[in-house]
Amino acid sequence: MTHRKPHLPTKTCAVCQRPFAWRKKWARDWDQVRYCSDRCRMNARGGGGGGAD
């Protein structure tokens, strides 16, 4: 049986619009988290160095 964590809060990424779940490293500032990954964070700032989406 797989280990699931359905009780974790989720948000929608401001860049890719995909849902992402709470992570322990975001525990202190979950309210300020807007992006699901560093890639989306960089794309939001206009860095653009992402991949071939």
Side-chain angles (χ1 to χ4, degrees):
M1 182 179 281
T2 59
H3 187 257
R4 303 260 179 192
K5 298 180 181 180
H7 60 280
L8 296 177
T10 60
K11 288 187 177 185
T12 302
C13 179
V15 175
C16 67
Q17 302 302 310
R18 293 181 182 172
F20 63 97
W22 181 91
R23 292 184 182 177
K24 187 169 183 167
K25 72 178 191 176
W26 292 330
R28 286 182 291 128
D29 46 15
W30 175 245
D31 292 335
Q32 286 79 38
V33 174
R34 295 179 57 205
Y35 311 111
C36 63
S37 64
D38 286 339
R39 181 177 176 179
C40 282
R41 185 168 48 86
M42 294 304 283
N43 285 337
R45 291 182 178 177
D53 275 351

